[in-house]
Amino acid sequence: MGLFKTVKRRIVTFQNLFSKKLQLNNKNIIITGANSGIALALAKNLNINNNILAFVNKDNSNIRDIEGRDIKIINWDFKNIDDHKDYINEIIKFKPNIIINSAATFGPENQKYYELDIKEFFNIFNVNVFSTLKIIESSVKAKEVEQIVNISSEMGSISLNKEGDYYYYRTSKTLLNSITKNLSIDLKQMNINVYCIHPGNVKTKLNVGGVILPTVASQKIINICAENNLNFSGKFIDINKNILEW
């Protein structure tokens, strides 16, 4: 199985060598969870020609010295949602144009309906949902936001759920999807494009067996952001721009 995934990962990477690579330029971009995975790959790519405000949990060593402009880093343990008050002014001052919310936690291994802990539920919802909402709330106050991109998962799709289990993670992503849809309606008059992206089976700390490299997924996300297609607002899409069912 390990060899199969390695081969498949190389095939996917090779196939994407010849795909288009759009870029964003001179944008102020917030990226959450930027110390690893897709978000780190996004930060490394986007920091060359843009201004980045990166939110990380604890360890910022991976992002501190990346190539490009001086990156602004905020250490925020998203489980402590009330800490957002300390960063409101910094977010507003940054005047973000694009917000890419990628911070997430899968939660403990045991997530069956009879194994759940309410405190753990709240911790996961703080990381996967409520911190995202608070960053968006502060960002919109700066009145420069053009796009809000919430990195979700098809595991949050009610229609596509055929296996059950994983209550913490599934329900947090379902709520994130619902909030994204709601925001797309509430922020439409401000011409803000709000949508969810399912990045696919990406190799990250949350998914060590993934077959898509973060660099590949991040470039496809950048392509979508660069196009800024307003028809995607209020939609759930994958990195190949296919519309997914809620």
Side-chain angles (χ1 to χ4, degrees):
M1 182 63 71
L3 179 60
F4 172 77
K5 288 184 176 180
T6 299
V7 172
K8 190 171 182 179
R9 191 178 300 130
R10 289 177 178 175
I11 292 172
V12 171
T13 303
F14 178 78
Q15 289 173 338
N16 283 277
L17 286 175
F18 307 101
S19 62
K20 63 181 178 181
K21 294 178 174 59
L22 302 181
Q23 291 297 327
L24 291 162
N25 294 291
N26 298 316
K27 298 292 186 181
N28 295 338
I29 304 173
I30 287 178
I31 303 175
T32 69
N35 54 317
S36 65
I38 297 170
L40 177 59
L42 283 165
K44 287 180 176 179
N45 190 319
L46 292 171
N47 195 51
I48 303 297
N49 298 314
N50 302 276
N51 302 310
I52 305 296
L53 176 59
F55 282 86
V56 301
N57 185 359
K58 295 178 181 178
D59 183 10
N60 62 20
S61 58
N62 288 342
I63 193 173
R64 192 167 51 230
D65 299 319
I66 65 175
E67 182 182 354
R69 303 181 184 183
D70 289 337
I71 194 165
K72 298 180 180 179
I73 301 173
I74 291 179
N75 289 84
W76 175 12
D77 182 356
F78 285 155
K79 291 180 181 178
N80 300 322
I81 196 67
D82 288 338
D83 288 353
H84 84 279
K85 298 172 185 176
D86 298 335
Y87 313 121
I88 292 175
N89 290 335
E90 195 159 355
I91 292 171
I92 294 173
K93 184 179 178 181
F94 183 67
K95 295 184 178 181
N97 305 124
I98 300 173
I99 309 160
I100 304 177
N101 288 304
S102 185
T105 179
F106 190 80
E109 182 177 350
N110 298 325
Q111 296 193 31
K112 297 185 181 299
Y113 71 91
Y114 51 82
E115 299 172 316
L116 305 180
D117 177 85
I118 296 301
K119 289 184 178 180
E120 188 64 31
F121 236 132
F122 276 112
N123 284 337
I124 291 166
F125 270 51
N126 281 344
V127 175
N128 293 0
V129 184
F130 301 136
S131 61
T132 291
L133 192 55
K134 284 302 180 182
I135 287 174
I136 292 170
E137 176 188 345
S138 299
S139 297
V140 170
K141 290 178 181 178
K143 300 181 179 180
E144 299 287 346
V145 177
E146 301 165 3
Q147 293 185 70
I148 298 170
V149 184
N150 293 327
I151 305 301
S152 187
S153 167
E154 67 177 3
M155 287 185 71
S157 169
I158 294 174
S159 300
L160 298 176
N161 183 3
K162 309 298 182 184
E163 298 177 352
D165 286 341
Y166 305 108
Y167 280 77
Y168 295 129
Y169 189 72
R170 282 193 192 278
T171 57
S172 70
K173 290 300 185 180
T174 302
L175 180 55
L176 179 64
N177 291 351
S178 179
I179 287 173
T180 302
K181 176 64 177 179
N182 234 34
L183 285 169
S184 72
I185 297 169
D186 292 338
L187 301 177
K188 184 176 181 179
Q189 62 184 357
M190 299 176 68
N191 294 317
I192 300 176
N193 195 2
V194 190
Y195 51 96
C196 281
I197 295 181
H198 164 57
N201 190 13
V202 182
K203 180 178 173 60
T204 66
K205 288 194 301 184
L206 294 183
N207 182 27
V208 294
V211 298
I212 303 172
L213 291 178
T215 51
V216 172
S218 65
Q219 181 58 60
K220 291 201 170 190
I221 291 169
I222 291 169
N223 290 347
I224 293 170
C225 290
E227 291 174 349
N228 193 18
N229 187 343
L230 291 173
N231 290 324
F232 288 151
S233 196
K235 298 294 195 301
F236 185 21
I237 65 174
D238 65 19
I239 55 175
N240 296 313
K241 298 184 284 189
N242 299 305
I243 305 294
L244 303 178
E245 297 180 55
W246 291 116

